[in-house]
Amino acid sequence: MKAIASTCALSIVAAVCAGNAGAQSHPVTAQQQAIAQQVAQQGVPLSALAANAPDSYTVRKGDTLWRISGLFLRQPWRWPELWGMNMQAIANPHRIYPGQTLYLERSGGYARLRTSRSGNETVKLSPRVRSESLADLAIPTIQMHLIEPFLAEPLIVQELTLQQAPRLIASADERLLMSPGDEVYARGPTGQPFTALDDDQRLYRVFRDAKPLKDPLTQQVLGYEAQYLGKVELQAPETPVSAAATPEAANTANTNTEAAKAAELAYTPAILHVAQVKEEMRPGDRLLPEPPRQYHSFTPHAPADPVEARVVSLYTSNALRYGTENQVVSINKGEVDGMEPGMVLSLISQGRQMLDKTEGRKDTVQLPDQANGTGMVFRVFDRISYVLVMDVRRGVLVGDKLINPQ
């Protein structure tokens, strides 16, 4: 297979690489590019390398940039420096592929990363029975399956958003709980029959219980987190039907004229099919339109300005007290505070208070805070962001601190 061109244009937005039609180039910020260019002049100090940095490493299927960076550098999120060790060969770090071997060279107190020992920078991939796009093979920054569900859920809404949304009212077989494949019925709020906003809008997400998320310091409500249940597909909209045109109305008119006059309109509810279920749905659950599909690329980087955030909640269906590695937590900083996807933050465990009884007295002692691990912001709302816990030494608690990485 021929060498992979390293001249694809770098862009903050997704673009098509001229040498690989149909491939999306991932965002690389101007700041990260500047860091890489600076490092590329001489490499990184040996002190920045991980203690057991290998002399070479062959990229494997399932690898991530975060993991590979962690093999070579003490701080995995500092991948621009890993990339900058050899910008000529690795113009875009997202174009590292399974089968490619990376070589670490040390000289003059600095280290550089190369894709070959001789300087002939080519990519060698293992033979495959069927052809695959190299764009599809390129390794991601993190394990996307950990956060893909959270790109659709949870949802931060205003207090009245769900209350004013269409609602499920029943299933065709009158069962209380609704499952995949069921035909279900829904209605819009009073005076607003449930119809598609446009011809292409067929899928809806189902939510329940917009619970308030409060700042652990001020107790101010930052937003309402709606519980994601699954998806339904609209088959037919809700339609008004003249009450006088129905047999029931005719019978009523014969027996109770006043009641017939009062009921000017009846409604045929919207018909939907349950397409996907995370948790069983039931009457009263609310529907919001499925947004357009988005393509996300997460480029780990440190915040440009000082950050001090707090953990608001652990996103889990279980009543767990401690968050663990690969779990998602919400924090009390959002877009208005400068948060953006890809920001890396250090997790700090709050030092607990204890009684010192060692000299016969009971003095209250505040133990110091302790560094606990690393998290990466991946979804941002106005005043709340969601963070994936990348690594952690002890359990994460509500109220724990997040600051700029050290």
Side-chain angles (χ1 to χ4, degrees), residues 298-327:
F298 302 99
T299 305
H301 60 281
D305 300 313
V307 172
E308 182 173 318
R310 298 281 179 164
V311 175
V312 173
S313 68
L314 313 179
Y315 190 77
T316 174
S317 57
N318 301 317
L320 298 178
R321 183 185 178 193
Y322 295 98
T324 59
E325 188 170 319
N326 294 336
Q327 192 169 352

Side-chain angles (χ1 to χ4, degrees), residues 264-287:
E264 294 182 358
L265 289 177
Y267 284 86
T268 298
I271 302 172
L272 305 100
H273 283 165
V274 178
Q276 176 185 328
V277 171
K278 180 185 177 184
E279 296 185 25
E280 287 186 308
M281 306 168 191
R282 61 190 185 211
D285 291 337
R286 301 288 175 159
L287 310 179

Side-chain angles (χ1 to χ4, degrees), residues 6 20 26 30 38 53 70 75 82 88 95 192 213 262 266 284 295 305 320 332 337 360 364 371 377:
S6 62
N20 191 6
H26 293 259
Q38 178 183 359
Q75 298 171 309
L82 177 69
Q88 289 75 23
R95 297 189 180 280
Q192 301 178 43
L213 294 183
Y295 296 92
D305 300 313
L320 298 178
N332 65 344
D337 306 294
T364 300
V377 176

